[in-house]
Amino acid sequence: MDKFIIRGGAPLCGEVAVSGSKNSALPALAACLLTSDPVTLNRVPRVRDIRTMERLLAYTGAEVDAGEDGRVTVAARNIARPEAPYELVKTMRASSLALGPLVARLGRARVSLPGGCAIGARPINLHVSGLEQLGARIRQSHGYIEAEVPEGLQGAWIHFDRITVTGTEDLLMAATLARGETVIENAAREPEVADLAELLTKMGADIEGAGTSTIRVRGVERLHGAEHTIIADRIEAGTFLIAGAITGGEVVVRECAPKHLAALVARLRQAGCEVKPAGTGALRVKSRGKLRSVDVTTEEYPGFATDLQAQYMALMTQAEGISFITESIFENRFMHALELARMGANIRIEGRQAIVAGPRTLSGAGVIASDLRASASLMLAGLVAGGETLIDRVYHIDRGYEGIERKLQKLGAQIQRVID
Ligand code: EPU
């Protein structure tokens, strides 16, 4: 298993370009199952979760042509196996995004149930009940969800009991080929949902309201091929903004979508950093000396992203005062806190709240990455810690950050990958 060795202390300076969004590219790849025509996606990040989704598409029988330049063409002419096997789902829960498109296109699908997850239970009951409302008959057997709808899906009025990002995406994809109109209420408003709707519209779908909490879809007979460029990864962009802030440096984050980062930018400014536009699609973060503690509660978009909570916690270990960090989306997303504490951070966990007292001088230590964003948090802590930090299990980082050590090295970080 690969490891990272980081020597902390250097303020990061320079420019970094953001990759395409992993969480946008995943549903976009799943959407390719909805048509027998080829669909081309640009700016698909070359990260592990994307490779897993590509393997899943290939498993169903789709042809996948993925270049290292981020251009991927999928032609799902014949789907011989409308199935997401456990081997793939267990390494990436987003495999459940195949459920909606497969049922919509073929009238049947078999998708393994995801097991537990490091950050919470993460069930897919809302995807399932949404598809049932569209007329699918669903049963669970041998760890798989089996869905069938011989007569085809029928549009329906769906109200999500709680906001779910991939649940919204799954249902949105399914509804494009359902008969009649589907309304999805309490839909996720994440930019990734709007990006998926843009792709589906290019493929011939009739969608209104994506990016708001009510989405209306009028089903069409068939979808066709299209070409689409994936939006910038707002979580990667946010991680680099925090990297600039935590190391007391000056970093320009290029090729991002500043409007998707508003909640983080507001906190960084309150914490005492200067964050300014630096031309189109770019933000400059500059340290102005001491950081102040600022509380945060994670929320659905446009609130503060849960996917930036761990990185933000690393930042708060360096801020003057006490910050309360409340995690409202996932029930167990504080695994990084214990590892940060091993590096010298003062963090107390009380249920869904982490109380961080700072600033504390961190010292390099051997730490273990438990999930994707937790790993990013440890990496950020390593960049300010004295001495050497050894991060184990960096395959978690490789799931969602493209060439992270190369990008950080360019900013002046001393980070090396050790290949085991
Ligand atoms: N939930 C249910 N039932 C469901 C679906 C969700 O109870 O059927 C609950 C979840 O357990 C959770 C909450 O609803 O407590 C929200 O989960 P959501 O469904 O929105 O999460 P997701 O769609 O599985 C996506 C991202 C995550 C991100 C969350 C929240 C993708 C591929 N994944 O997951 O990204 O944290 O939304 O914004 O889009 C990451 O990139 O590191 C990551 C974990």
Side-chain angles (χ1 to χ4, degrees):
M1 266 184 277
D2 292 5
K3 297 180 176 62
F4 277 157
I5 295 178
I6 303 176
R7 281 211 145 265
L12 298 195
C13 291
E15 295 194 0
V16 62
V18 173
S19 298
S21 160
K22 162 184 84 82
N23 287 351
S24 215
L26 287 170
L29 285 166
C32 298
L33 293 170
L34 287 163
T35 175
S36 54
D37 292 348
V39 176
T40 297
L41 302 172
N42 298 308
R43 208 181 180 188
V44 175
R46 300 315 297 156
V47 296
R48 231 165 49 104
D49 274 7
I50 295 295
R51 291 198 179 89
T52 307
M53 184 57 97
E54 288 167 354
R55 273 169 55 214
L56 169 53
L57 297 181
Y59 181 91
T60 66
E63 285 163 38
V64 182
D65 181 8
E68 279 309 303
D69 57 353
R71 188 173 165 88
V72 180
T73 299
V74 179
R77 285 185 192 91
N78 295 307
I79 297 179
R81 283 192 290 201
E83 187 175 319
Y86 179 60
E87 281 315 298
L88 296 175
V89 178
K90 76 172 186 212
T91 60
M92 190 193 57
R93 309 177 61 83
S95 308
S96 53
L97 283 167
L99 185 59
L102 288 174
V103 185
R105 166 106 179 261
L106 298 162
R108 66 198 165 89
R110 193 166 174 266
V111 171
S112 170
L113 275 167
C117 173
I119 63 176
R122 305 186 72 187
I124 57 164
N125 58 306
L126 298 170
H127 304 226
V128 167
S129 70
L131 285 172
E132 279 174 338
Q133 288 170 74
L134 293 179
R137 279 200 305 269
I138 297 192
R139 63 185 197 116
Q140 189 183 323
S141 107
H142 306 293
Y144 278 75
I145 298 276
E146 293 177 351
E148 241 193 356
V149 58
E151 307 297 318
L153 295 172
Q154 174 72 51
W157 197 285
I158 294 161
H159 178 92
F160 279 124
D161 285 340
R162 71 174 291 177
I163 297 175
T164 158
V165 179
T166 50
T168 301
E169 293 163 347
D170 216 2
L171 267 282
L172 173 59
M173 290 188 277
T176 58
L177 291 180
R179 280 189 308 279
E181 186 174 83
T182 298
V183 177
I184 307 174
E185 278 186 344
N186 204 23
R189 291 180 286 163
E190 268 63 7
E192 293 76 16
V193 174
D195 195 33
L196 172 65
E198 203 179 312
L199 165 65
L200 293 168
T201 305
K202 287 178 187 165
M203 293 167 70
D206 185 354
I207 301 168
E208 254 173 54
T212 75
S213 51
T214 304
I215 306 180
R216 242 167 237 282
V217 186
R218 273 174 289 269
V220 294
E221 196 76 10
R222 65 179 294 273
L223 296 179
H224 51 72
E227 179 159 351
H228 181 70
T229 299
I230 300 295
I231 56 171
D233 195 310
R234 62 194 167 99
I235 307 303
E236 189 201 6
T239 305
F240 283 121
L241 288 176
I242 296 175
I246 198 172
T247 59
E250 181 171 349
V251 171
V252 175
V253 180
R254 288 197 292 112
E255 293 170 45
C256 67
K259 66 172 190 283
H260 297 160
L261 289 155
L264 173 66
V265 168
R267 295 314 181 294
L268 290 176
R269 287 183 178 145
Q270 280 172 280
C273 299
E274 187 181 294
V275 187
K276 284 191 172 157
T280 315
L283 286 171
R284 178 190 306 273
V285 63
K286 192 172 165 185
S287 153
R288 285 196 306 213
K290 276 190 182 155
L291 288 163
R292 288 188 295 274
S293 62
V294 179
D295 298 347
V296 93
T297 298
T298 62
E299 282 167 7
E300 293 88 0
Y301 189 83
F304 190 94
T306 171
D307 289 346
L308 284 170
Q309 177 260 109
Q311 300 88 316
Y312 186 80
M313 190 182 294
L315 180 71
M316 284 300 105
T317 66
Q318 301 306 297
E320 181 87 45
I322 294 186
S323 48
F324 291 83
I325 299 178
T326 309
E327 173 55 58
S328 75
I329 308 292
F330 292 111
E331 64 273 23
N332 188 29
R333 208 174 197 180
F334 283 146
M335 305 279 274
H336 44 281
L338 296 172
E339 299 297 300
L340 290 173
R342 293 194 59 248
M343 297 174 74
N346 183 353
I347 305 173
R348 199 168 76 228
I349 304 291
E350 287 184 1
R352 289 209 167 193
Q353 200 162 58
I355 304 154
V356 186
R360 290 290 285 247
T361 304
L362 302 184
S363 58
V367 286
I368 294 182
S370 55
D371 69 75
L372 170 56
R373 310 303 173 186
S375 338
S377 149
L378 300 177
M379 202 179 59
L380 292 168
L383 292 174
V384 277
E388 203 167 270
T389 296
L390 183 89
I391 306 183
D392 203 351
R393 300 196 192 162
V394 299
Y395 60 84
H396 284 295
I397 287 212
D398 295 334
R399 287 186 49 201
Y401 288 90
E402 187 175 52
I404 184 75
E405 72 269 35
R406 180 178 42 79
K407 290 186 182 185
L408 286 171
Q409 281 160 0
K410 238 188 98 202
L411 294 172
Q414 292 194 42
I415 175 168
Q416 259 157 22
R417 182 183 291 263
V418 183
I419 299 171
D420 252 10

